[in-house]
Amino acid sequence: MTETLTLAKAVNAALADALEGDDRVLLMGEDIGQLGGVFRVTDGLQARFGAQRVIDSPLAESAIIGTAIGMSYRGFRVVTEIQFDGFIYPAFDQIVAQVAKLRYRSRGRVSMPLTIRVPYGGAIGSVEHHSESPESYFAHTAGLRVVTASTPQEAYSTLRAAIASDDPVLFFEPKGKYYTKGEVDRSIVRDLETANVVASGRDVTIAAYGPTVETALRAAIAAADEGIEVEVIDLRSISPLDVDTVVESVQRTGRLVVTHEAPAEASVSSELITSVVERAFSSLEAPPERVTGYDTPYPPSAVEHDYLPSLDRLLDAVDRTLGRRNSRTELDYASVMGAAR
Amino acid sequence: MTETLTLAKAVNAALADALEGDDRVLLMGEDIGQLGGVFRVTDGLQARFGAQRVIDSPLAESAIIGTAIGMSYRGFRVVTEIQFDGFIYPAFDQIVAQVAKLRYRSRGRVSMPLTIRVPYGGAIGSVEHHSESPESYFAHTAGLRVVTASTPQEAYSTLRAAIASDDPVLFFEPKGKYYTKGEVDRSIVRDLETANVVASGRDVTIAAYGPTVETALRAAIAAADEGIEVEVIDLRSISPLDVDTVVESVQRTGRLVVTHEAPAEASVSSELITSVVERAFSSLEAPPERVTGYDTPYPPSAVEHDYLPSLDRLLDAVDRTLGRRNSRTELDYASVMGAAR
Amino acid sequence: MSITVPAPDPALAAGLDCPLRVLDLDGTRLHDPLLDAHLGDIDESALADLYLDMVRVRRLDTEAFALTRQGHLVLWPPLLGQEAAQVGAARSLEQRDWVFGSYREHGFALLRGADMAEFARIWKAYAHGGWDPHEINMAPSQIIIGAQSLHGVGYAMAAKMDGSDEVALTAFGDGATSEGDVNEALVWASAFQAPVVFLCQNNQYAISEPVAVQSGGLPLALRPTGFGIPSMRVDGNDVLAMLAAGRIAVERARAGGGPTFIEAVTYRRGPHTTTDDPKRYRDEAEVEAWVAKDPIDRVERALERMGVDMDPVRAEAKVRADRLAKEFRAAAEHAEPPAAEEIFDNVYAQPSRRLERQRAEHLAFVASLAEESK
Amino acid sequence: MSITVPAPDPALAAGLDCPLRVLDLDGTRLHDPLLDAHLGDIDESALADLYLDMVRVRRLDTEAFALTRQGHLVLWPPLLGQEAAQVGAARSLEQRDWVFGSYREHGFALLRGADMAEFARIWKAYAHGGWDPHEINMAPSQIIIGAQSLHGVGYAMAAKMDGSDEVALTAFGDGATSEGDVNEALVWASAFQAPVVFLCQNNQYAISEPVAVQSGGLPLALRPTGFGIPSMRVDGNDVLAMLAAGRIAVERARAGGGPTFIEAVTYRRGPHTTTDDPKRYRDEAEVEAWVAKDPIDRVERALERMGVDMDPVRAEAKVRADRLAKEFRAAAEHAEPPAAEEIFDNVYAQPSRRLERQRAEHLAFVASLAEESK
Ligand SMILES: Cc1ncc(C[n+]2csc(CCOP(=O)(O)OP(=O)(O)O)c2C)c(N)n1
Ligand SMILES: Cc1ncc(C[n+]2csc(CCOP(=O)(O)OP(=O)(O)O)c2C)c(N)n1
Ligand SMILES: [Mg+2]
Ligand SMILES: [Mg+2]
């Protein structure tokens, strides 16, 4: 049975079903109870499951994660919410030095089946700290699984898998897509490591995740008009990456564009490109391209559309991989780089 | 005039000269005063400059950085110490959301001429959290400069440059090399963005930084025995990377090995390789190789030498880039990967 | 091994049972020995000035709120109801002192002289920062809850190191008291006896969460006492009490007496921000009860009781508030959006080659789009 | 608007002026109404058991210290001088309760039954964790200062949610009180009335920094009172006082009375760790003064005063301590080092393809080295 849900409602449904199905599942975060979250993602859950299982917490991210760790020792599966991407950093130590390491440190004796939900990404016209994409920090951290979703179905199924997993999972929710609707079949089960090929093509591969998957699909449609076949891969898992699927695709297309909203430097796209180069170097017919946020802090949202990956920037990158005329064809770096040298 | 100093003493000398030269320079950190730091790097500085300028702080990393920010508003140039790599995470929010962004946020009106000293790296036989290499997190963060040093001279000159810079700088000190001696000329001035070619060669380029530079140089010597010329680049600046210098080298050698102690995933080596591929794809004769820490938490130090880049692992990677027989020549991945699928 | 704890001076934890107040709801001037000593100079004209300040602050707030509803600003966190807390505290400072506040400190920004045209740009999402911090001695507004408290303490430590008698004030909300940073700020302020004033505006909510979620129902002003920091719990809707408490704290700091914590007990009558729906978590009746404690009405009544003819005062207030509203509206409506290229500015003091490449690529990309659409 | 603060029950902030003590330095049994009520069952034999515990803990510590000097362990953070603080508190718990401590909690580990062979492996850097947490109800030792305090509070919240009367104790040092995490732990414990015991072993130093650097000279036991958490400042070298304080805290927690904070005023007589040189920051005389307050001597004297023939007790203690030392030394000398391949184990519950590739590559590399050296 399928139903039409927004991505936000799909998350809500996954949380409700997890709470319903396992009484060791708990929700904890700021404003998630009475208010139902600033995006209403947890709407109705406290009323339905009680304030003991859907906990409005004090305003302290390190403590949200730190106390959830303590609860995990007692066998709870805590789903914590960090209200916005930009507010996860106070919890960084508890996430990278504790959550990520407790299984390792205890040689498998302590499980941290914690899920950390983080609405992330931009294009929502908001103010500072509300539009960031911090996933690369966590991708660099061994011991964490980092996943995201591009559709309501993926949100539902991936979040269920995250909560069921005995590994700690950061579940990044593309907040700019919260109100996107789609069909959801609650019986579809997904894992935490496999990428989806969401459009097939033989000329260029675009690997995307979360909010950029839709843009990539639009790029595939636009490119098709010019006779270019774009294969689009929804990575789903940001760490570990499903490099196999991307390599298999690149072996066919010979060309790769990786896109995400996060800055490029030492990021998920750096990793994916390097991994593909390591394993499919001889298949590559052009250097892989990145279409990402620039290496600046997230700008004022008045100009965020210049900062974020866009359809046109993706198409331009596709053109670059194909050696077609593109925005950099006549770019003379030497002449424009006065300031930096 | 040169003098022979250990790397630790070179850092001490840089701090002393900075304190001497500018009375707005302050030092702040845990145990840096009376004790002179757990590595004695700040030995004698409190006695010489007073407890007002070499401040033993309470035990709170977020506050060390947060109060240093406040002091920066008043024109101080604060050199903070984080006692060990693994203790920087409680300060993560203040570093990535505050220090890194204040210039941007204020449109250039607020400067953060802060230096954050961090002893990092392994091979010291210590216990958990004392041997990490967290630099990739900061490389991913726009607005920060991230530098390191491989010799006493570089430590002296780079730290002086860091303190003099109006940008916030993370200065990663390779603690495993603190007792390495070298000649130091205090008049040598270095910038914060240029890599050094420390050995020339035309077959393979190894890019290294901090503690791995010495290993890379040893690899160059060992390879020379087999008639292979290795060019070694000491990156010095981890962010931004001096991609130009590496590209120029790879254009000659066609082969690249990148090495650091930090885990590989979404790291500085991912970035460097991706950047080089973007700009020197057609020069590459083999896929670039990484020799890094594995994607696990830092292991118990009894086995750290298996985890860390070693001379043999570097030489093996050099062999791979040259298509020579190497450890993976007969590796059949499919047959060994039962557990993960 | 015995350590003697300083005798609990009532002035060191005043108002815990009942917040300090010197203006009653009906405008009666109440007497409080602690606060009165710091209000000797407040005559009718000084009180009228505070009235003018509050009216202007409120007008700025309501104008901005309306502008947001009309689509001219992207977001606004209203301070309606908190005018006395901000005006009283702000007026206890000198201009040479520094303020480190949150996103709701519009009153401080206005009174310290923030350029309204620049200020409006923050809430249009045209800029992250809205004034020159070094011009008005106020750090950019802070969205990361509590982070600024450490900056305030650091600034105060630096002022002390300089031998200056300048003071830092850091403002934050009730919710912020749960964050590690605010507590570390208390540790450091106490350890270094930093000349800092902690102003906690307890407006009863952190978004939807009533303050009891943070504190378990205890007064927030109790907290600093455990760090050895003197504390006052003040009626935050009483501008005179806030002024006096601020002065006590500022004078203590200037004189080398270290930090003070002020809990201003007040109420956020509007939504958390313009995107919030407070009906989901509180009753209209609760809001009404706080309307009756309005900080501005109270001063009007006090001035009347003092025999002041309010008509010219109100008229003057209206003129000045209108002028401010007009100025702010014009700023909001006509602000120049940033050029996209500004994305690449001010990341580093010393531009990096990496970023200059990205700038060049971006400009080339924009040019290519323009080309195409020709 | 008035909130009533709970009347300051002396039991809620006891010992601030002078730490609570029931055993004087010369072994005299002092009387303290608060503590005595919880020591009714402590006869000669019970006190002798505590003595045995302390002797064993000390012996483990000194043996490990020696083993480090001899190169069998890589590092050791000694607890010499803190035996009473740990034994008293540990013995106030039931085995079903949980402990979340730092790297210096060897006393807790021993008394809760940690396997010594596994324990030794931590300090040989053979393993990060040294016992099965679910077997002895004690989390792996924690090096990140203060982080475990939140884990303890979370565990206690979970126990309460389960309707269990189990209790969590979290132990940390004086330095840890400055970290945001410990303060957030106090906020949460207070807000949720978690059944948790905060044990702060104030051993006067955080590495080289005297406790005054953290607190500005105020007793650390003052801190929790600002969070509404009852607190006791206890002579941490008095095992009976520690036991009684622990029992008060544990009973309160079990009965639904929420958290309690205990500051154990004690002294770290050894270096911070075996790599530290305390001569750089403190006088020998200071150490000597604390030797005179030795926690074990004091109990010996008390037992003697009670008329106990100490010879057999001492003999028994020696036998058991020797046995423990032997067991630990054997463990330290003969522990099996980890296989290098363990680097790749236990990163994930569900192995990842990425890491299995790396494992395969590493094994191939190791094999190739072996090949070469043939
Ligand atoms: C570190 C962090 N966590 C969460 C948020 C989201 N957030 C914004 S305002 C707010 C409530 C703040 O409450 P309070 O401190 O009482 O200040 P008020 O808004 O009432 O003025 C929250 C949770 C944030 N901005 N920063
Ligand atoms: C977050 C963090 N910062 C710094 C350190 C380094 N460090 C290890 S022990 C220590 C002092 C701890 O003092 P205290 O809390 O009093 O405990 P004690 O060692 O005296 O038992 C410090 C600074 C650390 N382990 N973790
Ligand atoms: Mg509030
Ligand atoms: Mg200590």
Side-chain angles (χ1 to χ4, degrees):
Chain A
M1 201 206 70
T2 72
E3 53 201 316
T4 308
L5 296 177
T6 62
L7 198 150
K9 291 267 183 237
V11 172
N12 183 287
L15 294 171
D17 291 352
L19 284 160
E20 182 71 47
D22 180 352
D23 62 12
R24 304 308 278 174
V25 171
L26 282 184
L27 271 47
M28 189 159 65
E30 298 157 7
D31 304 293
I32 66 168
Q34 174 108 358
L35 183 65
V38 293
F39 294 106
R40 309 293 180 265
V41 166
T42 52
D43 195 24
L45 298 178
Q46 190 181 67
R48 179 163 161 207
F49 296 99
Q52 286 256 354
R53 297 189 64 203
V54 180
I55 303 170
D56 268 328
S57 80
L59 210 176
E61 289 74 14
S62 189
I64 291 174
I65 305 301
T67 58
I69 291 171
M71 294 173 187
S72 301
Y73 274 104
R74 224 186 138 83
F76 283 97
R77 308 184 88 82
V78 192
V79 185
T80 55
E81 175 179 302
I82 298 292
Q83 199 165 76
F84 278 86
D85 35 67
F87 309 146
I88 198 167
Y89 308 121
F92 203 72
D93 180 64
Q94 288 287 348
I95 298 174
V96 310
Q98 307 294 330
V99 171
K101 290 183 178 171
L102 269 158
R103 173 177 301 279
Y104 198 68
R105 176 185 304 160
S106 67
R107 283 179 296 145
R109 285 152 165 177
V110 175
S111 268
M112 282 290 130
L114 198 64
T115 301
I116 304 176
R117 294 180 40 240
V118 192
Y120 81 123
I124 62 161
S126 192
V127 294
E128 211 185 353
H129 306 294
H130 288 74
S131 306
E132 303 185 5
S133 295
E135 65 272 16
S136 298
Y137 294 120
F138 303 101
H140 181 61
T141 306
L144 300 176
R145 292 186 177 274
V146 186
V147 299
T148 183
S150 59
T151 65
Q153 177 68 60
E154 290 298 330
Y156 180 86
S157 299
T158 308
L159 180 52
R160 290 302 303 270
I163 298 171
S165 170
D166 283 339
D167 283 320
V169 182
L170 278 104
F171 181 67
F172 279 97
E173 300 174 4
K175 71 171 100 75
K177 305 289 179 196
Y178 267 151
Y179 307 113
T180 301
K181 285 189 180 160
E183 290 299 292
V184 175
D185 176 346
R186 300 194 188 198
S187 70
I188 293 180
V189 175
R190 308 286 283 119
D191 69 13
L192 295 172
E193 199 164 336
T194 316
N196 286 347
V197 178
V198 291
S200 303
R202 58 183 178 203
D203 296 326
V204 182
T205 304
I206 301 183
Y209 59 82
T212 57
V213 173
E214 192 184 310
T215 321
L217 286 169
R218 287 196 289 125
I221 293 169
D225 281 350
E226 307 198 23
I228 301 166
E229 277 190 19
V230 173
E231 177 144 312
V232 178
I233 297 177
D234 176 359
L235 292 167
R236 297 186 60 251
S237 175
I238 294 169
S239 173
L241 285 164
D242 180 0
V243 178
D244 293 349
T245 296
V246 182
V247 162
E248 193 279 323
S249 175
V250 168
Q251 279 163 347
R252 284 183 285 103
T253 62
R255 294 175 174 87
L256 175 64
V257 177
V258 184
T259 181
H260 53 57
E261 294 189 0
E265 192 170 350
S267 69
V268 174
S269 58
S270 330
E271 179 55 41
L272 183 58
I273 290 174
T274 298
S275 292
V276 169
V277 167
E278 283 170 346
R279 291 171 55 187
F281 182 69
S282 59
S283 305
L284 283 168
E285 290 175 40
E289 292 283 340
R290 289 188 273 192
V291 179
T292 69
Y294 292 110
D295 288 313
T296 74
Y298 199 88
S301 60
V303 291
E304 67 187 338
H305 292 290
D306 281 81
Y307 175 85
L308 292 169
S310 60
L311 175 62
D312 287 320
R313 275 176 68 198
L314 267 182
L315 290 172
D316 190 50
V318 166
D319 285 343
R320 292 200 296 274
T321 64
L322 287 163
R324 288 157 53 104
R325 188 173 169 74
N326 65 74
S327 72
R328 297 182 197 167
T329 307
E330 277 150 30
L331 178 55
D332 172 9
Y333 287 98
S335 77
V336 289
M337 285 189 42
R341 254 209 168 165
Chain B
M1 202 205 69
T2 73
E3 54 201 316
T4 308
L5 297 176
T6 63
L7 197 149
K9 291 265 182 239
V11 171
N12 183 287
L15 294 172
D17 291 353
L19 283 160
E20 182 71 46
D22 180 353
D23 62 12
R24 302 310 276 175
V25 172
L26 282 185
L27 271 47
M28 189 158 67
E30 298 158 7
D31 303 293
I32 67 168
Q34 174 107 357
L35 182 66
V38 293
F39 294 104
R40 310 292 178 263
V41 166
T42 52
D43 195 25
L45 298 179
Q46 190 181 68
R48 178 161 161 210
F49 296 100
Q52 286 256 350
R53 296 190 64 203
V54 180
I55 303 171
D56 268 329
S57 81
L59 210 177
E61 289 75 13
S62 189
I64 291 174
I65 305 300
T67 57
I69 291 171
M71 294 171 187
S72 301
Y73 274 105
R74 224 184 138 85
F76 283 97
R77 309 184 88 83
V78 192
V79 185
T80 56
E81 175 179 302
I82 299 292
Q83 200 165 77
F84 278 86
D85 35 65
F87 310 145
I88 197 167
Y89 309 120
F92 204 72
D93 180 64
Q94 288 287 348
I95 298 174
V96 310
Q98 306 295 329
V99 171
K101 290 183 177 170
L102 269 158
R103 173 177 300 279
Y104 198 68
R105 176 184 304 159
S106 67
R107 281 177 298 143
R109 286 151 165 176
V110 176
S111 269
M112 282 290 129
L114 200 63
T115 300
I116 303 176
R117 293 181 41 241
V118 192
Y120 80 125
I124 62 162
S126 191
V127 293
E128 210 185 354
H129 306 293
H130 288 73
S131 305
E132 304 186 2
S133 296
E135 65 272 16
S136 298
Y137 294 120
F138 303 101
H140 181 62
T141 306
L144 301 175
R145 293 186 176 275
V146 185
V147 299
T148 183
S150 59
T151 65
Q153 178 68 61
E154 290 299 328
Y156 179 86
S157 299
T158 307
L159 181 52
R160 291 302 304 270
I163 299 171
S165 170
D166 283 338
D167 283 319
V169 182
L170 277 104
F171 182 67
F172 280 96
E173 300 174 6
K175 70 171 99 77
K177 306 290 179 196
Y178 267 151
Y179 308 112
T180 301
K181 285 189 179 160
E183 292 299 291
V184 175
D185 176 346
R186 301 195 189 197
S187 69
I188 293 180
V189 175
R190 308 284 285 120
D191 69 13
L192 296 172
E193 199 163 336
T194 315
N196 286 348
V197 178
V198 291
S200 302
R202 59 182 176 202
D203 297 325
V204 182
T205 304
I206 301 183
Y209 58 83
T212 58
V213 172
E214 193 183 310
T215 322
L217 286 169
R218 286 195 290 125
I221 293 168
D225 280 350
E226 307 199 23
I228 299 167
E229 278 191 17
V230 174
E231 177 143 312
V232 178
I233 297 176
D234 175 359
L235 292 167
R236 296 186 61 249
S237 175
I238 294 169
S239 173
L241 285 163
D242 180 1
V243 179
D244 293 348
T245 296
V246 182
V247 162
E248 193 279 322
S249 175
V250 168
Q251 279 163 348
R252 284 184 285 102
T253 62
R255 295 174 174 86
L256 176 64
V257 176
V258 185
T259 181
H260 53 59
E261 294 189 359
E265 192 171 349
S267 69
V268 173
S269 58
S270 329
E271 179 54 40
L272 183 58
I273 291 175
T274 298
S275 292
V276 169
V277 168
E278 284 170 344
R279 291 171 54 188
F281 182 69
S282 58
S283 305
L284 282 168
E285 291 175 39
E289 293 283 341
R290 290 187 272 191
V291 179
T292 67
Y294 293 111
D295 288 314
T296 74
Y298 199 88
S301 61
V303 290
E304 67 187 338
H305 291 291
D306 281 81
Y307 175 86
L308 292 169
S310 61
L311 175 62
D312 287 319
R313 276 176 67 199
L314 266 183
L315 290 172
D316 190 50
V318 166
D319 285 344
R320 292 200 297 275
T321 63
L322 288 162
R324 287 158 54 103
R325 191 175 165 74
N326 65 76
S327 72
R328 297 183 197 166
T329 306
E330 277 151 30
L331 177 56
D332 172 8
Y333 287 98
S335 77
V336 289
M337 285 190 42
R341 253 211 168 167
Chain C
M1 195 158 40
S2 158
I3 297 174
T4 310
V5 189
D9 176 349
L12 293 189
L16 284 187
D17 271 320
C18 180
L20 304 178
R21 178 188 284 177
V22 292
L23 277 185
D24 215 345
L25 302 196
D26 64 359
T28 314
R29 178 73 163 75
L30 305 172
H31 289 286
D32 179 283
L34 179 65
L35 302 188
D36 281 354
H38 296 81
L39 294 170
D41 60 327
I42 303 298
D43 56 11
E44 289 88 348
S45 132
L47 187 57
D49 283 348
L50 293 168
Y51 170 80
L52 277 180
D53 284 344
M54 288 197 289
V55 171
R56 287 173 68 234
V57 168
R58 175 166 298 179
R59 183 57 180 274
L60 173 65
D61 184 65
T62 49
E63 192 71 16
F65 198 92
L67 281 161
T68 313
R69 291 279 183 250
Q70 293 157 17
H72 293 294
L73 303 179
V74 302
L75 190 79
W76 184 256
L79 60 65
L80 182 68
Q82 300 177 221
E83 296 85 354
Q86 294 196 18
V87 167
R91 288 305 187 203
S92 72
L93 296 169
E94 305 282 338
Q95 191 65 29
R96 69 205 159 96
D97 300 320
W98 268 72
V99 172
F100 296 80
S102 81
Y103 45 84
R104 208 183 294 284
E105 264 62 85
H106 318 309
F108 281 95
L110 179 68
L111 298 192
R112 296 190 74 76
D115 180 305
M116 286 299 114
E118 286 214 50
F119 183 51
R121 288 169 55 90
I122 310 179
W123 304 105
K124 292 184 77 74
Y126 281 9
H128 291 324
W131 54 76
D132 185 337
H134 291 285
E135 208 172 282
I136 68 167
N137 290 1
M138 178 163 171
S141 63
Q142 178 63 252
I143 288 178
I144 304 292
I145 300 297
Q148 74 278 12
S149 60
L150 287 167
H151 309 168
V153 170
Y155 189 90
M157 288 168 67
K160 186 173 172 178
M161 290 189 278
D162 278 340
S164 147
D165 72 349
E166 287 155 31
V167 163
L169 178 145
T170 174
F172 47 83
D174 44 298
T177 59
S178 296
E179 287 280 8
D181 274 4
V182 170
N183 291 280
E184 291 186 4
L186 295 172
V187 169
W188 286 53
S190 174
F192 291 98
Q193 287 294 294
V196 64
V197 180
F198 294 101
L199 172 62
C200 174
Q201 290 171 74
N202 175 0
N203 63 7
Q204 310 301 326
Y205 286 90
I207 308 188
S208 71
E209 298 185 348
V211 57
V213 169
Q214 318 293 335
S215 64
L218 293 169
L220 298 173
L222 190 62
R223 175 82 55 87
T225 64
F227 295 79
I229 295 179
S231 156
M232 288 174 275
R233 189 152 164 269
V234 182
D235 179 345
N237 285 16
D238 174 348
V239 73
L240 283 189
M242 285 302 303
L243 177 69
R247 286 175 166 185
I248 291 170
V250 168
E251 281 166 28
R252 177 179 294 143
R254 279 206 214 296
T260 303
F261 186 101
I262 300 171
E263 177 190 354
V265 180
T266 180
Y267 194 79
R268 187 198 81 213
R269 272 156 51 187
H272 172 66
T273 69
T274 38
T275 64
D276 179 38
D277 175 12
K279 287 200 199 68
R280 294 179 74 98
Y281 54 82
R282 69 185 188 191
D283 287 341
E284 210 33 52
E286 185 184 291
V287 182
E288 287 312 315
W290 280 89
V291 172
K293 300 182 206 164
D294 187 75
I296 300 184
D297 287 356
R298 207 185 291 197
V299 174
E300 268 194 71
R301 287 185 209 122
L303 286 167
E304 277 163 358
R305 276 176 191 271
M306 289 163 111
V308 174
D309 176 3
M310 280 307 287
D311 287 342
V313 179
R314 277 194 209 97
E316 164 80 3
K318 186 170 166 6
V319 168
R320 293 178 59 179
D322 284 350
R323 198 192 306 145
L324 172 66
K326 214 173 131 186
E327 184 194 348
F328 188 74
R329 173 170 288 269
E333 289 177 353
H334 306 303
E336 231 2 86
E341 197 189 338
E342 284 180 36
I343 289 173
F344 303 96
D345 293 341
N346 296 311
V347 179
Y348 299 99
Q350 171 71 31
S352 85
R353 277 177 276 154
R354 179 181 182 93
L355 212 49
E356 292 312 309
R357 271 185 86 85
Q358 291 188 5
R359 182 200 299 268
E361 287 167 355
H362 184 73
L363 292 177
F365 168 70
V366 171
S368 77
L369 282 189
E371 188 97 339
E372 258 175 51
S373 65
K374 254 190 233 159
Chain D
M1 193 159 41
S2 159
I3 297 175
T4 311
V5 189
D9 175 350
L12 294 188
L16 283 187
D17 270 321
C18 180
L20 305 178
R21 178 187 285 177
V22 292
L23 278 185
D24 215 346
L25 302 195
D26 63 1
T28 315
R29 179 71 163 78
L30 305 172
H31 289 286
D32 179 285
L34 179 65
L35 302 187
D36 282 353
H38 295 82
L39 294 171
D41 61 326
I42 303 298
D43 55 12
E44 289 87 347
S45 132
L47 186 57
D49 283 347
L50 293 168
Y51 170 79
L52 278 180
D53 285 343
M54 288 196 290
V55 171
R56 288 172 68 233
V57 167
R58 176 167 297 179
R59 184 57 181 275
L60 172 65
D61 185 67
T62 48
E63 192 72 16
F65 197 93
L67 281 162
T68 312
R69 291 277 182 251
Q70 293 157 17
H72 294 293
L73 303 179
V74 302
L75 191 79
W76 184 256
L79 58 65
L80 182 69
Q82 300 178 221
E83 296 86 354
Q86 293 196 18
V87 167
R91 288 305 186 203
S92 72
L93 296 169
E94 305 282 338
Q95 190 67 27
R96 68 204 158 97
D97 300 320
W98 267 72
V99 173
F100 296 81
S102 82
Y103 44 84
R104 208 184 294 283
E105 264 62 85
H106 318 309
F108 281 96
L110 178 68
L111 298 192
R112 297 190 73 75
D115 180 303
M116 286 298 114
E118 287 215 49
F119 183 51
R121 289 169 54 90
I122 310 178
W123 304 104
K124 291 184 75 75
Y126 281 9
H128 291 322
W131 53 76
D132 185 338
H134 291 285
E135 208 172 282
I136 67 167
N137 290 359
M138 178 162 170
S141 64
Q142 179 63 253
I143 288 179
I144 303 293
I145 300 296
Q148 74 278 15
S149 60
L150 287 167
H151 308 168
V153 171
Y155 188 89
M157 289 169 66
K160 186 174 172 177
M161 290 190 278
D162 278 340
S164 144
D165 72 348
E166 286 155 34
V167 162
L169 178 147
T170 175
F172 47 84
D174 44 297
T177 60
S178 296
E179 287 281 8
D181 274 5
V182 170
N183 290 280
E184 292 187 4
L186 295 172
V187 169
W188 286 54
S190 174
F192 291 98
Q193 287 295 292
V196 63
V197 181
F198 294 101
L199 171 63
C200 174
Q201 288 170 78
N202 175 359
N203 63 5
Q204 311 302 325
Y205 286 91
I207 309 187
S208 71
E209 298 185 349
V211 57
V213 170
Q214 318 293 335
S215 65
L218 293 169
L220 297 174
L222 189 63
R223 175 84 55 87
T225 64
F227 295 79
I229 295 179
S231 157
M232 288 174 277
R233 190 152 165 270
V234 182
D235 179 346
N237 285 15
D238 173 349
V239 72
L240 283 189
M242 284 303 301
L243 176 69
R247 286 174 165 187
I248 291 170
V250 168
E251 281 165 29
R252 177 179 293 143
R254 280 206 213 295
T260 303
F261 187 101
I262 300 171
E263 177 189 353
V265 181
T266 180
Y267 194 78
R268 186 198 81 214
R269 270 153 53 184
H272 170 68
T273 68
T274 38
T275 64
D276 179 38
D277 175 11
K279 287 202 199 67
R280 294 179 73 100
Y281 54 82
R282 70 187 188 189
D283 286 341
E284 212 31 52
E286 186 185 290
V287 181
E288 288 312 315
W290 280 89
V291 172
K293 299 182 208 165
D294 187 74
I296 300 184
D297 287 357
R298 208 185 290 196
V299 174
E300 271 195 68
R301 288 184 209 122
L303 286 166
E304 277 162 357
R305 277 177 191 270
M306 288 163 111
V308 174
D309 175 4
M310 279 306 288
D311 288 342
V313 179
R314 276 194 211 97
E316 164 79 3
K318 187 170 167 4
V319 169
R320 294 179 59 181
D322 283 350
R323 196 190 310 144
L324 173 66
K326 215 173 130 189
E327 183 193 348
F328 189 74
R329 173 171 288 270
E333 288 177 354
H334 307 303
E336 229 6 83
E341 197 190 337
E342 284 180 36
I343 289 174
F344 302 96
D345 293 341
N346 296 311
V347 180
Y348 299 99
Q350 172 71 32
S352 85
R353 278 177 274 155
R354 180 182 183 93
L355 211 51
E356 293 312 308
R357 273 185 84 86
Q358 291 188 5
R359 182 200 299 267
E361 287 167 355
H362 184 72
L363 292 177
F365 168 71
V366 171
S368 77
L369 282 190
E371 188 95 341
E372 257 174 51
S373 65
K374 257 190 235 163

